[in-house]
Each structure stands twice: as C-alpha cells, then as structure tokens.
Amino acid sequence: MNLSIAIPAMVNNTAAAPSKPNASAEWPSTDSQDYWNETLKQFKAMDCSPGWSLPIRAMIKSLPLWAILVSYFCEYWLFYTIMAYTPTYISSVLQANLRDSGILSALPFVVGCICIILGGLLADFLLSRKILRLITIRKLFTAIGKGVLFPSVILVSLPWVRSSHSVTMTFLVLSSAISSFCDSGALVNFLDIAPR
C-alpha cells in the first residue's frame, strides 16, 4: 500500500472519533492503531533494496575519491575559518560597530554565492562551445579558486591594507569571489567520477 493512501486513511479514521477536551493527550483508538500496524507490516514486507550494493572496498582504494575528499576538507576548512573570523576581524581591526560589522561580514559571502553561479555558467559556456576540455576547465578553475594563486595572495596582503576600510573589504570580497571558482573546478568532481 502506498504511504500517500495510508496517511489520509488514518487521518479519516481518527477524525471520526468524537473530540474530547484533551484529545491530543490521549491514545488513538485501537482501530487506527491496528490499521497503522497493518500498514507498517506491509511496508516492511516490501523489498526496498536498490538491487546493487555499495562498493565500499573500491571506494576506499579510489585515489580520485581521496583527492576529492581532501579537496573538500581543505576548501571548507578555509571557508568556515574565514566565515567564523570575518566578523571579529571587521569589528576589532576595522573598528566597525556591530550593525555595520554584520553587514560587512555578510558581503563577501553574498558575492561568493553569486560568483558560484557565474563560475558554473562560465564553465558550462567554455565546455559547450568546446573552447576548453572538461579536464582543463576543472584544473583551471581549481587552480584559480583553491587559493593556489589569487585568494591566498589577497588574504596574506590584508595586514598591509588594514588602514583603509574600503580596500580591506574589497580584498575580502575578491578573495571570496575568486575562491568560489573552486566549486566549478574540484568540488563538482563527484559527478565526474560517479558511475553513469
């Protein structure tokens, strides 16, 4: 029996009972309990296995999978570290008040979210026009966004530009925007190595 049929039938069975002042605290009637138990037995009797097994041993031995996992770990370690300390940096170094600190802290991540979409569109454009091969696009976007080139240089130069609020915020926004290209590079590789 389908669950979409079972739930309305249960609701109709329990709704027919007369309502009492504290009906929500009482047990449902035995008819609805029996019906629910019968429905659960039918679902347990169904074979819900997908017809294939998860190849865990092959996954553990897969070097591309390990490379993707390490890449994810490094990317999100950087992301969460920057996300956690950006408000503190803005309020203590830039001496911004609490309201401005919250708005300024969110700005790099809003721009980063927009650039993730734009990076994906750019990668799809380069691939659909056959300007670059898929592996070249992945390597290029990973090299640009992973901090190998631009984001790390921008973040390392922050102590020398902290006297200017606008330059500091521009550097934070640029770092977030450029590192979002990594999502179109290394972070979509699960789709590339997944079975077709």
Side-chain angles (χ1 to χ4, degrees), residues 75 79 82-83 86 102-120 154 166 168-184:
E75 176 67 22
F79 175 76
I82 290 175
M83 188 171 68
T86 298
I103 293 169
L104 292 175
S105 296
L107 186 62
F109 302 105
V110 170
V111 171
C113 288
I114 293 168
C115 287
I116 287 172
I117 296 168
L118 296 176
I154 291 171
S166 58
T168 300
M169 284 311 301
T170 302
F171 277 25
L172 285 171
V173 167
L174 279 174
S175 172
S176 179
I178 294 171
S179 66
S180 67
F181 282 108
C182 187
D183 291 346
S184 302

Side-chain angles (χ1 to χ4, degrees), residues 45-77:
M46 289 184 195
D47 184 24
C48 297
S49 65
W52 50 271
S53 63
L54 189 63
I56 293 181
R57 185 172 293 138
M59 291 169 58
I60 290 172
K61 293 179 180 179
S62 172
L63 290 179
L65 180 63
W66 280 105
I68 293 170
L69 292 174
V70 168
S71 176
Y72 261 82
F73 178 81
C74 294
E75 176 67 22
Y76 285 109
W77 182 281

